[in-house]
């Protein structure tokens, strides 16, 4: 190969490296606003996410993988408090998306967060009832009727803390027949006909619209949950993790989350 061809080849390689650096930070992590595809990310990304994010994050994970061949997004969906405990006890994860600032604070205070969490969506409670609303429930106060079976999330879980706040705001006393560890479990009780109603997030009722109805109530405005997301300090794959986080907060990520019923922060 003559010297001119060699110089041409080197120039091409330099240009490719420059384009990659422009899309990434100095350590190869994607910067906010950068295109997710074409950044050279690869490998597994392990995301610990609140149960209420199951449908929307699953969809975003598939789109991220399609845009980044060679990546695989592995999700662990559960109650945020349980996920925070797993992280602080050393469970390997790249990203944490919680359903409340309080559960995120557990991870931040333990020194396991890389930088400051970002609130990326909000969520609001509804009353989930079996399709057709056979008991005619239309207010939060209805849930105090002694003949109704009601499921709530446990108070240490974000949906349970929000339910308590809404019930307190309404001055309503509810005696649940069961306390669940995440919102999906509470919703499942309604779908199976084991309870007459449950307080769940609007997004979960929407995802289960084939089998349940979501009854809006004004007191839910007193208990809107912020959802923070953060890169974890001990992330095994920080480059791909940052790219996924950037995708979640991108315009496409906002569109998918909005379609699921989440509110803008």
């Amino acid at each position: 190969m003559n010297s001119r061809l060699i110089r041409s080849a080197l120039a091409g390689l330099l240009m490719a490296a420059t384009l990659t650096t422009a899309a990434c930070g100095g350590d190869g992590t994607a910067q906010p606003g950068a295109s997710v595809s074409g950044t050279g990310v690869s490998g597994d990304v392990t995301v610990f996410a609140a149960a209420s994010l199951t449908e929307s994050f699953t969809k975003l994970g598939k789109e991220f993988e399609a845009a980044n061949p060679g990546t695989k997004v592995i999700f662990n969906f559960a109650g945020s408090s349980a996920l925070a405990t797993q992280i602080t006890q050393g469970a390997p994860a790249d990203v944490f998306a919680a359903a409340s600032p309080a559960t995120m604070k557990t991870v931040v205070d333990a020194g396991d967060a890389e930088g400051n969490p970002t609130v990326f969506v909000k969520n609001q409670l509804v009353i989930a009832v079996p399709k057709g609303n056979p008991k005619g429930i239309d207010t939060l106060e209805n849930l105090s009727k002694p003949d109704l079976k009601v499921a709530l999330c446990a108070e240490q879980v974000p949906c349970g803390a929000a339910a308590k706040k809404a019930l307190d705001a309404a001055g309503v006393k509810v005696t649940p027949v069961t306390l669940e560890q995440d919102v999906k479990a509470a919703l499942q009780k309604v779908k199976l006909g084991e309870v007459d109603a449950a307080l769940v997030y609007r997004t979960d009722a929407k995802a289960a619209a084939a089998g349940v109805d979501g009854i809006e109530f004004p007191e839910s405005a007193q208990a809107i949950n912020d959802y923070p997301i953060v890169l974890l300090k001990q992330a095994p794959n920080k480059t791909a993790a940052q790219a996924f986080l950037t995708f979640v907060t991108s315009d496409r990520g906002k569109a998918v989350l909005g379609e699921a019923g989440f509110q803008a922060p």
Side-chain angles (χ1 to χ4, degrees):
M1 181 181 292
N2 63 38
S3 59
R4 179 177 295 179
L5 289 176
I6 292 173
R7 287 196 300 272
S8 177
L10 289 173
L13 290 171
L14 180 60
M15 178 63 73
T18 302
L19 290 173
T20 300
T21 303
C24 304
D27 60 353
T29 57
Q31 297 300 298
S35 170
V36 173
S37 60
T39 57
V41 298
S42 62
D44 294 348
V45 182
T46 302
V47 179
F48 280 31
S52 49
L53 291 164
T54 300
E55 291 80 13
S56 52
F57 264 34
T58 297
K59 183 174 183 177
L60 288 174
K62 290 177 180 177
E63 292 190 12
F64 180 83
E65 290 171 351
N68 296 274
T71 61
K72 182 175 179 57
V73 185
I74 301 168
F75 290 108
N76 179 14
F77 294 113
S80 295
S81 56
L83 295 174
T85 298
Q86 291 173 29
I87 291 168
T88 58
Q89 290 180 348
D94 295 291
V95 175
F96 179 39
S100 74
T103 46
M104 178 60 76
K105 187 174 185 296
T106 300
V107 171
V108 172
D109 288 352
D112 291 319
E114 182 81 21
N116 296 320
T118 299
V119 173
F120 66 107
V121 287
K122 296 176 181 286
N123 212 349
Q124 199 162 340
L125 295 176
V126 297
I127 304 169
V129 297
K131 201 69 179 174
N133 194 9
K135 296 288 187 176
I137 297 169
D138 56 11
T139 68
L140 197 60
E141 189 174 3
N142 290 160
L143 300 185
S144 64
K145 293 180 179 179
D147 61 329
L148 283 184
K149 295 179 180 178
V150 179
L152 297 177
C153 294
E155 284 187 25
Q156 69 268 25
V157 181
C159 63
K164 183 180 186 304
K165 191 179 293 185
L167 290 166
D168 288 348
V172 173
K173 174 68 174 178
V174 173
T175 303
V177 296
T178 181
L179 291 171
E180 301 299 326
Q181 293 304 308
D182 66 63
V183 69
K184 294 296 187 188
L187 185 64
Q188 186 69 2
K189 295 290 185 180
V190 178
K191 293 167 69 175
L192 293 174
E194 296 179 8
V195 298
D196 301 306
L199 286 179
V200 305
Y201 294 122
R202 179 184 289 160
T203 53
D204 294 287
K206 185 174 181 178
V212 306
D213 289 331
I215 310 300
E216 301 278 348
F217 60 97
E219 296 86 355
S220 67
Q222 305 299 315
I224 297 176
N225 275 23
D226 289 339
Y227 279 52
I229 189 170
V230 75
L231 177 70
L232 295 173
K233 186 168 291 183
Q234 300 302 320
N237 190 352
K238 285 189 178 181
T239 300
Q242 180 61 61
F244 178 77
L245 196 154
T246 299
F247 184 47
V248 169
T249 56
S250 70
D251 288 344
R252 177 55 187 164
K254 292 174 184 175
V256 170
L257 290 160
E259 289 167 3
F262 287 99
Q263 303 167 33

